[in-house]
């Protein structure tokens, strides 16, 4: 389930970034027709990406997180939810971006609480969570120092 969604979403995220870049380039060149065509296609990809993210988030928030039977499962599912809200933040603006980012924070915090209940500092799920949170801090919140702090803390705890 995780790999299937990651692959489907990953290809659309890459396409969305490329299309956004092309759209800006065409606008800068003064090619409004090309920019409009690219914008329309970017919006189509964006819609597909939103649909996929909302679909997996519904599964995660509906059953998977609340019925997780172990700390590892809880952290893994909370990290997944955070990641998909981060992806929604990447393609959103204004209050929609803020809302998605706050939901990501909620799940990062929930994972943090679960980690403190007993997940080894060298556990791959914990390390993956730390990397994901650092990326969110850096790319979405533009908090570079916080991103470095989270990554450094995970590294120091693991060694």
């Amino acid at each position: 389930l995780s790999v299937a969604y990651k692959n489907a979403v990953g290809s659309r995220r890459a396409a969305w970034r490329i299309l956004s870049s092309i759209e800006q380039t065409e606008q800068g060149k003064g090619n409004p027709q090309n920019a409009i065509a690219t914008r329309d296609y970017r919006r189509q990809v964006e819609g597909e990406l939103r649909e996929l993210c909302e679909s997996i988030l519904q599964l995660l928030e509906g059953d998977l997180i609340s019925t997780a039977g172990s700390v590892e499962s809880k952290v893994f599912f909370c990290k997944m939810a955070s990641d998909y809200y981060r992806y929604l933040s990447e393609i959103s603006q204004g209050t929609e971006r803020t809302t998605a980012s706050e939901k990501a924070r909620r799940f990062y915090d929930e994972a943090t609480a679960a980690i403190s209940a007993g997940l080894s500092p060298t556990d791959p799920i914990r390390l993956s969570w730390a990397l994901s949170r650092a990326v969110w801090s850096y790319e979405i919140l533009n908090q570079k120092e916080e991103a470095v702090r989270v990554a450094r803390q995970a590294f120091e705890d693991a060694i």
Side-chain angles (χ1 to χ4, degrees):
L1 181 69
S2 172
V3 173
Y5 271 98
K6 184 175 183 170
N7 289 339
V9 167
S11 62
R12 283 163 181 85
R13 286 177 68 217
W16 185 87
R17 285 192 298 271
I18 291 166
L19 290 166
S20 294
S21 177
I22 292 170
E23 181 182 356
Q24 290 175 353
T25 300
E26 292 300 322
Q27 286 172 345
K29 288 180 179 179
N31 296 328
Q33 288 179 318
N34 290 349
I36 290 169
T38 305
R39 181 199 66 208
D40 292 344
Y41 188 46
R42 176 188 51 80
R43 286 180 178 167
Q44 178 184 339
V45 170
E46 191 174 295
E48 293 172 8
L49 181 53
R50 279 184 201 287
E51 190 175 301
L52 286 166
C53 287
E54 289 167 2
S55 172
I56 188 64
L57 285 165
Q58 187 175 29
L59 291 171
L60 289 163
E61 292 176 289
D63 289 322
L64 295 175
I65 293 172
S66 63
T67 61
S70 67
V71 172
E72 290 86 357
S73 296
K74 177 119 178 160
V75 172
F76 180 78
F77 291 142
C78 285
K79 181 212 165 283
M80 274 183 71
S82 298
D83 285 343
Y84 287 99
Y85 278 119
R86 176 168 50 94
Y87 305 154
L88 288 172
S89 295
E90 290 172 350
I91 63 171
S92 300
Q93 296 176 351
T95 57
E96 202 174 294
R97 179 181 174 95
T98 302
T99 299
S101 181
E102 285 305 314
K103 287 181 179 182
R105 178 188 306 277
R106 186 180 90 215
F107 285 106
Y108 282 125
D109 291 346
E110 193 171 336
T112 302
I115 286 169
S116 67
L119 199 58
S120 166
T122 57
D123 186 286
I125 294 169
R126 181 174 176 166
L127 294 171
S128 176
W129 163 85
L131 176 61
S132 178
R133 183 162 187 145
V135 168
W136 172 72
S137 295
Y138 186 87
E139 291 183 356
I140 303 302
L141 301 180
N142 202 28
Q143 296 177 347
K144 293 166 181 42
E145 294 82 16
E146 175 65 7
V148 170
R149 187 196 66 73
V150 168
R152 181 174 288 133
Q153 187 65 52
F155 175 76
E156 289 173 359
D157 289 350
I159 59 170

